[in-house]
Amino acid sequence: MSSVESDPESTIRSTTTSSGLFARNATGLVRGVSQRSSFVINFIPGHPTQALAAGFFFVFALFPGGNYLVGLALTIPLILAIAYSFGLLTAMIPRSGGDYMIVSRVIHPLAGLISSFCMTLAGLLSNAFFGVAFVTLGIGPGLVSLGLLERSPGLINAGTTIQSNLGWRFGIGAAMMLLSAAFLIGGWRWSLRIQNTLFWIVTGGLILATVTALFTSHGSFVSSFNSFLRPFTHNANSYQEVLNRAAKAGVNLHPSFSVANSIPIVGFFATFSIYSYWSTFVAGELREASSVKTARNMALAGVACIAVVAAFAAVYFHAFGTSFMIAANGGGMPPQVSTAPTYFFLMSGAVGNLLFAILIIFSYIFFWPLICYISLLQPTRMMFAYAFDGILPEKVTSINRSGAPWMAIVISWVLSAATLLWGLNNASFFQILTYATLIQLIAMGLVSVCGIIVPWRRPELYRGSTSQRRFLGLPVVTIAGVGGVLTCVFVWVLFFHFSAQFGFADPGKFFGFAGVTIGLAVAYYLVARFIRSREGVNIALVYAEIPPE
Amino acid sequence: MRVGILRKRDPNASGTATSIFYASDVHGSDRCWRKFLGAASFYKVDTLIMGGDLTGKAMVPITQEADGIYTARFIGERRRVSSDEQLSQLKDAIRFNGMYPWVASPDEVQRHRDDDVARDQLFETVILDDLRGWVALADKKAAASGVDVYAIAGNDDPWTCDAVLEASQRVRPCEDRLVEVGGHEMIACSLVNPTPWNSPREMDEQRLYDHLRGLAEQVSDPSRAIFMFHAPPYDSGLDTAREVNPEDLTVVMRNGQPNEIPVGSKAARQIIEEFQPLLALHGHIHESRGITTIGRTTCINPGSDYVSGRIHGALVKLSDHNVTMRQLVIG
């Protein structure tokens, strides 16, 4: 028999760490996602590019007198409540899988499945929205903008055609999703490199456009805009035409400040900005995930998005004119200009330089595959968590040479493409976004409930975590949870109260939609439990906590 | 007759079944150790196997100030407590995270900061005292339940831990020897291939191969045997970790991102490929939790997340020549 003598040199050798710990020579765990990368992951869902190009200015035509600074300021508590609910719970349960992992462990596995079904459906609907937006807010308007700049009927026609043709919208949208899935298929090293590169391209394009706008006087913009559109409108003052058309259509171009109309704006801003918790889905791969940095990072990312939107919006309002932005987004654009008045369209016209236009248009277009990639993190990690828990075949966890869960990624792409097809045939552009938001709020509400109850429901997790701070005698995580629940209820109420403005034609239909989703989650749990029990596997054991005594 | 997914599969169909709960890398988490011992009745298994790395990696000095205030830096935060109850809660939180609390005067804390030898000795004393407490608890629980408990140390455990395990009445140490688990032969080894941390139990691949081969050759029927190697087999998907620079223990970056590589043992893999045991149990790489097969051998790394207070484990049922059920659980 071979035997090993204990090596006298291989004994304890300790050191003192910078934080004051005594640590000994032992192997260490290094997780792959740095806090910096996690900040980027949390920032992207609320990236200012999306808000500024896809609806920010539109709401002022819907809610005249609503003040964007008031709206943005009121959105911050909502962001903080959700971010700290997710962040503190993620620090307690630093496992990949996000809401599923949190809710299944804190409340009940069935609740975890309901949450993740809602979250996944929201993710798929969001991907469908991103697919549509890639064409109708990205490539289409981009081609039209370049066509107008270059006076190329071919580009204008191409941009208009792909926006209106169902086949083109599906094909290009699905291809964009495939590209996003490809970002994930190469493993973290590959994914993070692409993620961070695209992030800086997108952010750089937005900064370039905004800084240029900052140094563009209002008079200069009006002059450039008129010159830009004159060949198409045959009007020497297209700027004034936009104002006149909107006023004629009943849009209030000089509304006085209205608190009542600032409140619904909060709901709209929330649809872009309360998702700064995305790193929760990769918590098991996050460095220092157990520290309070996880929550701070989420909160900081959310607030940073809002702050940038506020600052950049102020620049655009200054350069383009507040009344003009309300008018242009309220239907005042000349019919000869078949594109939305996005910041990149307006700035392309204002600068009149092809290279500049290409830079800001393509940097904007890249945003959509980037956010779709971020969105795909959720179902892929959730499927991984499902498979580890035994409620999905282990085959789903198959990883390629790069460590990427290729099967889960492929399934996510197929489901996203199918949802896009459904969305194009059955729902309006904003209806998809509204459904996605409302269904996601169910999951976020369940996580917030976890925040409320975790100190009592999982006291050992709470006591062992960094999340034990109290305010007015109450655990901060509980306060954040209460805030999270109120946030979800508030946004829900806003959407239903202003259903027409949010493109929500039949609110009753949504309850059926949500009911089916929850019913499917319950059915899935029962079927999975039944099938696994036939194999001698009790999936209840996966979630069950062994009593320590 | 029921077919397909409706057909009930009997895990005991092909002979006498052995049911096992396997876990590894609890790293000083008192809660995880207690859960490990409680797993037998909870999961209704007849055998508990612990795959090594029992001891914690860090100690948190709690400074007792003259005014009766206790202070400590813990998970990035400065904690300050005064009452006995608060002190107890602080110690529990430290233990929950797999570290050892140590209360001392400011002078004592400073002396141990400055004196490497004194600190090393303190570590050894605290680790062994704690492990003795664990073994005593295991003896008591196993005696009451009649469950079989097997344990080895891991690469992070000092060699002095073995004597504590050997002294146990009910925990069967199995390092470097052939034991029987429910009618299956089992060999076990705590050694791993070299790591950048220079942990207490490391060996170069060739020597490790020779050592493992010597163990494996004692097995009369490998097709029914269990090989418990703390090191996972190389490039098996159970051994993926970030590459670390051995000189300064920083993560190796490639193109601005951490480089992921297989870090398992080639010797362990070669032995598994050559002997094709029924089951191979591993640990060591916490973040590479999973189940895979090498040839006919089912290989399991349950992973570890001991700081969460949940024990990562695997439930396994063995018939004479088959693994009839395996399931990763978090208890």
Side-chain angles (χ1 to χ4, degrees):
Chain A
M1 175 182 165
S2 171
S3 65
V4 176
E5 294 298 321
S6 59
D7 180 355
E9 294 297 315
S10 298
T11 185
I12 291 177
R13 286 190 303 280
S14 63
T15 184
T16 304
T17 69
S18 57
S19 62
L21 285 181
F22 294 170
R24 67 187 182 88
N25 54 327
T27 43
L29 169 64
V30 185
R31 295 177 183 231
V33 183
S34 67
Q35 286 288 332
R36 190 184 64 177
S37 290
S38 112
F39 176 84
V40 173
I41 290 171
N42 292 329
F43 189 85
I44 289 171
H47 197 289
T49 291
Q50 179 178 209
L52 289 169
F56 179 87
F57 298 105
F58 175 70
V59 293
F60 300 104
L62 285 179
F63 303 105
N67 183 286
Y68 79 98
L69 289 174
V70 172
L72 290 170
L74 291 176
T75 308
I76 288 176
L78 314 189
I79 294 170
L80 294 179
I82 296 291
Y84 274 100
S85 293
F86 271 90
L88 296 176
L89 287 163
T90 301
M92 288 182 207
I93 309 172
R95 307 296 309 164
S96 294
D99 62 305
Y100 167 72
M101 201 48 84
I102 292 168
V103 178
S104 67
R105 270 59 179 173
V106 176
I107 301 179
H108 189 274
L110 181 54
L113 270 171
I114 290 171
S115 176
S116 67
F117 263 59
C118 291
M119 187 67 85
T120 302
L121 186 60
L124 295 175
L125 285 165
S126 297
N127 289 347
F129 173 78
F130 303 145
V132 176
F134 181 62
V135 182
T136 56
L137 292 176
I139 289 185
L143 289 175
V144 171
S145 300
L146 291 174
L148 291 169
L149 197 65
E150 288 297 290
R151 298 179 191 175
S152 162
L155 282 176
I156 295 171
N157 189 39
T160 308
T161 302
I162 63 168
Q163 289 183 74
S164 57
N165 182 286
L166 194 75
W168 275 112
R169 275 192 286 169
F170 175 73
I172 296 173
M176 185 276 290
M177 290 173 181
L178 191 61
L179 181 68
S180 301
F183 295 167
L184 287 167
I185 214 85
W188 264 127
R189 208 176 86 192
W190 161 264
S191 302
L192 290 177
R193 198 187 321 161
I194 293 175
Q195 170 196 293
N196 294 342
T197 304
L198 283 183
F199 173 79
W200 286 113
I201 289 174
V202 171
T203 307
L206 179 64
I207 290 171
L208 175 66
T210 309
V211 168
T212 309
L214 182 65
F215 292 102
T216 302
S217 69
H218 180 61
S220 168
F221 170 75
V222 172
S223 173
S224 303
F225 183 79
N226 287 334
S227 304
F228 177 44
L229 289 191
R230 185 182 296 171
F232 307 97
T233 60
H234 308 293
N235 184 339
N237 196 347
S238 297
Y239 187 90
Q240 188 60 44
E241 184 189 339
V242 171
L243 295 171
N244 294 342
R245 283 174 57 82
K248 198 173 174 183
V251 177
N252 185 353
L253 300 182
H254 304 286
S256 52
F257 170 66
S258 163
V259 174
N261 272 353
S262 296
I263 301 298
I265 286 176
V266 176
F268 191 84
F269 290 166
T271 62
F272 293 107
S273 58
I274 57 174
Y275 310 116
S276 61
Y277 53 79
W278 222 248
S279 62
T280 188
F281 296 111
V282 295
E285 296 137 271
L286 202 61
R287 286 184 220 158
E288 300 179 87
S290 295
S291 76
V292 77
K293 284 181 186 172
T294 301
R296 283 186 192 147
N297 207 329
M298 293 177 181
L300 186 64
V303 173
C305 288
I306 283 290
V308 173
V309 168
F312 284 19
V315 171
Y316 289 123
F317 275 131
H318 166 75
F320 304 150
T322 304
S323 298
F324 173 80
M325 289 306 281
I326 294 172
N329 286 281
M333 287 296 282
Q336 300 90 335
V337 181
S338 53
T339 187
T342 56
Y343 72 85
F344 62 81
F345 167 73
L346 296 173
M347 283 311 298
S348 295
V351 173
N353 178 284
L354 181 62
L355 179 62
F356 175 84
I358 287 173
L359 280 175
I360 63 169
I361 288 170
F362 278 89
S363 65
Y364 171 73
I365 288 172
F366 283 140
F367 171 74
W368 298 106
L370 175 64
I371 195 169
C372 189
Y373 143 82
I374 287 290
S375 179
L376 282 169
L377 285 177
Q378 183 267 328
T380 53
R381 265 45 185 188
M382 180 213 68
M383 276 188 253
F384 228 64
Y386 275 21
F388 269 139
D389 283 357
I391 58 173
L392 203 63
E394 285 175 13
K395 184 71 182 166
V396 173
T397 65
S398 301
I399 55 173
N400 60 19
R401 295 289 304 171
S402 305
W406 67 271
M407 177 78 84
I409 292 168
V410 168
I411 292 171
S412 299
W413 176 75
V414 170
L415 290 174
S416 296
T419 310
L420 172 64
L421 192 58
W422 170 85
L424 288 171
N425 284 290
N426 295 285
S428 69
F429 186 70
F430 277 108
Q431 199 175 356
I432 297 173
L433 186 62
T434 303
Y435 274 25
T437 303
L438 291 178
I439 201 87
Q440 193 159 352
L441 287 170
I442 296 173
M444 291 160 67
L446 282 169
V447 171
S448 300
V449 169
C450 291
I452 295 172
I453 65 175
V454 73
W456 298 277
R457 178 107 172 134
R458 295 291 308 278
E460 79 293 340
L461 262 186
Y462 174 69
R463 285 197 297 267
S465 73
T466 56
S467 315
Q468 294 178 68
R469 292 201 178 152
R470 288 175 175 266
F471 182 71
L472 299 176
L474 281 173
V476 169
V477 67
T478 298
I479 295 170
V482 170
V485 169
L486 291 175
T487 297
C488 295
V489 171
F490 172 69
V491 179
W492 257 64
V493 169
L494 278 182
F495 268 73
F496 280 95
H497 187 73
F498 296 100
S499 55
Q501 288 91 330
F502 284 110
F504 200 17
D506 185 2
K509 198 173 164 185
F510 173 77
F511 285 107
F513 189 66
V516 168
T517 306
I518 293 168
L520 283 172
V522 174
Y524 186 91
Y525 177 72
L526 295 175
V527 170
R529 197 168 72 170
F530 174 75
I531 291 174
R532 297 295 278 161
S533 71
R534 295 272 139 183
E535 298 168 347
V537 173
N538 180 0
I539 62 167
L541 295 180
V542 168
Y543 311 97
E545 182 169 5
I546 305 169
E549 295 301 334
Chain B
M1 180 181 168
R2 288 177 293 188
V3 295
I5 61 168
L6 297 179
R7 187 183 68 237
K8 184 168 185 175
R9 296 179 198 170
D10 183 358
N12 304 331
S14 53
T16 308
T18 301
S19 56
I20 296 167
F21 176 74
Y22 172 70
S24 184
D25 298 80
V26 289
H27 282 292
S29 168
D30 196 55
R31 191 171 190 84
C32 286
W33 178 253
R34 288 170 186 272
K35 287 183 169 186
F36 171 69
L37 298 175
S41 58
F42 189 76
Y43 295 124
K44 297 183 175 50
V45 296
D46 43 44
T47 304
L48 297 174
I49 302 177
M50 172 54 66
D53 278 0
L54 303 168
T55 57
K57 302 176 182 181
M59 190 184 302
V60 180
I62 302 174
T63 307
Q64 183 177 14
E65 310 287 354
D67 55 1
I69 301 290
Y70 297 90
T71 58
R73 281 200 69 82
F74 171 55
I75 334 182
E77 287 193 324
R78 185 170 179 79
R79 300 278 181 99
R80 189 178 156 86
V81 300
S82 53
S83 68
D84 288 345
E85 186 189 351
Q86 288 175 326
L87 177 63
S88 175
Q89 285 175 353
L90 175 60
K91 285 180 178 177
D92 285 348
I94 293 168
R95 292 311 321 264
F96 184 85
N97 284 276
M99 301 180 213
Y100 302 108
W102 175 60
V103 182
S105 67
D107 290 345
E108 274 293 281
V109 171
Q110 192 56 49
R111 185 171 75 81
H112 283 83
R113 277 194 216 289
D114 299 337
D115 186 341
D116 291 351
V117 175
R119 194 174 56 242
D120 294 349
Q121 287 172 346
L122 173 68
F123 243 119
E124 182 128 12
T125 303
V126 169
I127 283 174
L128 294 182
D129 282 351
D130 199 68
L131 189 58
R132 284 189 197 99
W134 280 16
V135 167
L137 183 66
D139 285 344
K140 186 177 153 194
K141 291 208 165 206
S145 64
V147 69
D148 294 320
V149 183
Y150 299 83
I152 56 168
N155 68 297
D156 283 335
D157 298 322
W159 285 99
T160 44
C161 289
D162 288 11
V164 178
L165 292 175
E166 293 281 353
S168 169
Q169 294 162 359
R170 297 287 308 201
V171 178
R172 298 181 62 180
C174 36
E175 172 80 17
D176 272 356
R177 70 189 72 172
L178 184 70
V179 296
E180 187 185 303
V181 176
H184 297 265
E185 292 172 295
M186 181 170 84
I187 56 169
C189 178
S190 63
L191 291 158
V192 301
N193 48 309
T195 75
W197 286 271
N198 193 20
S199 57
R201 301 183 193 223
E202 298 181 6
M203 189 177 266
D204 66 74
E205 290 281 18
Q206 185 55 52
R207 286 178 63 211
L208 185 55
Y209 173 79
D210 294 341
H211 178 68
L212 295 178
R213 186 166 187 91
L215 278 172
E217 283 173 346
Q218 297 175 56
V219 175
S220 60
D221 183 1
S223 70
R224 297 184 66 249
I226 303 167
F227 287 5
M228 176 164 60
F229 301 153
H230 187 64
Y234 180 77
D235 202 17
S236 59
L238 306 180
D239 67 326
T240 307
R242 277 78 203 178
E243 187 179 4
V244 173
N245 191 328
E247 285 160 15
D248 57 6
L249 300 182
T250 54
V251 177
V252 174
M253 308 294 275
R254 293 265 187 272
N255 302 308
Q257 299 302 333
N259 196 36
E260 283 193 338
I261 55 168
V263 296
S265 165
K266 291 174 180 168
R269 179 166 192 127
Q270 196 173 341
I271 292 294
I272 290 168
E273 286 173 346
E274 287 172 6
F275 288 83
Q276 289 286 280
L278 178 60
L279 178 67
L281 302 173
H282 309 281
H284 190 37
I285 308 300
H286 302 183
E287 64 271 46
S288 210
R289 167 180 163 89
I291 299 175
T292 190
T293 52
I294 295 177
R296 69 175 293 275
T297 305
T298 298
C299 304
I300 300 175
N301 176 1
S304 174
D305 189 24
Y306 60 95
V307 293
S308 69
R310 303 294 295 264
I311 186 166
H312 286 207
L315 293 169
V316 184
K317 284 187 180 170
L318 303 178
S319 66
D320 277 353
H321 286 89
N322 290 303
V323 176
T324 56
M325 192 279 282
R326 72 272 200 294
Q327 179 183 11
L328 295 173
V329 290
I330 303 176

